[in-house]
Amino acid sequence: MARIPLPTPDELDPQQRLVYDKVVSGPRGRLRGPLRAALYNPALADCWQAFGAQLRYHTQLPPELSELAILVTARHCRSPFEWDAHRPEAERAGLHRNIITAILNQKQPQDLSPTQAAVYHFARELNAGHSVSDVTYSRALELFDARTVMELTALVGYYTLVAMTLNAHEIPMPEGTVPAFPIAHDAGR
């Protein structure tokens, strides 16, 4: 159960309903996760959904690499909801299960392509140290252009916000879903 009440579509005021309708009519197709909490402030929720859609669907990163960065972030932030939402997306985008399993087990995946390795190390370092080393940054720039490296940074930052919101408010996972790992505050911090 969430720590705050999460309004149902029937309970939304007109401003909230406008944001809800944008989300469900867009590429997401439904409203779940942190946007349910963000609806308490419809203007924030609207900016949030637009920013998230931009980063998820309109960057130069192919879906496989975006989902890789999201999974690294979900696991680092210990957000089982985010993990559960993006693991199947990563599989559909072509990310191999052995890579996904390694990230879940907090191990460095083997047999990464050069671009996957660059994204993995960039996301890991950014999450762990709030920046990246010169070596990691240079490698990313060798494989991608400056715009893509900036988009990768924004993607990791955005999904950190998502994970924090999911964890802090204990947004419930879909019914019948077993978390892949405990949420952050249950992990003995």
Side-chain angles (χ1 to χ4, degrees):
M1 175 172 270
R3 289 178 162 170
I4 57 175
L6 300 173
T8 65
D10 295 338
E11 298 170 330
L12 300 176
D13 68 30
Q15 290 177 317
Q16 292 169 322
R17 188 63 195 213
L18 284 172
V19 177
Y20 174 87
D21 289 344
K22 280 184 187 179
V23 172
V24 299
S25 67
R28 289 180 183 95
R30 61 186 170 173
L31 187 132
R32 64 183 232 168
L35 286 173
R36 293 177 67 197
L39 278 175
Y40 273 100
N41 180 332
L44 173 63
D46 195 26
C47 293
W48 186 324
Q49 69 82 23
F51 188 46
Q54 179 66 36
L55 289 170
R56 178 114 181 260
Y57 305 110
H58 305 290
T59 69
Q60 294 186 99
L61 286 165
E64 174 190 3
L65 297 180
S66 290
E67 293 300 332
L68 173 61
I70 294 166
L71 287 183
V72 169
T73 302
R75 190 61 185 103
H76 177 82
C77 293
R78 295 191 308 265
S79 180
F81 188 114
E82 187 169 81
W83 179 270
D84 181 70
H86 287 276
R87 182 198 43 77
E89 294 294 326
E91 289 176 356
R92 276 192 285 281
L95 199 61
H96 291 268
R97 286 185 188 203
N98 63 329
I99 295 171
I100 295 168
T101 301
I103 295 167
L104 175 63
N105 293 326
Q106 297 179 301
K107 306 234 185 267
Q108 182 172 327
Q110 302 300 308
D111 303 322
L112 293 170
S113 72
T115 55
Q116 289 171 335
V119 167
Y120 172 80
H121 290 293
F122 195 97
R124 284 276 299 147
E125 288 183 24
L126 190 55
N127 276 295
H130 312 294
S131 189
V132 294
S133 67
D134 289 341
V135 169
T136 298
Y137 197 89
S138 294
R139 182 67 177 144
L141 276 178
E142 287 173 17
L143 295 168
F144 309 111
D145 61 13
R147 174 183 168 169
T148 305
V149 174
M150 185 278 307
E151 290 171 341
L152 175 58
T153 306
L155 182 75
V156 170
Y158 174 78
Y159 278 95
T160 300
L161 167 66
V162 168
M164 288 180 177
T165 302
L166 291 165
N167 291 349
H169 300 291
E170 294 184 1
I171 306 299
M173 294 180 64
E175 195 169 319
T177 303
V178 177
F181 47 84
I183 63 172
H185 77 273
D186 288 344
R189 277 192 173 192

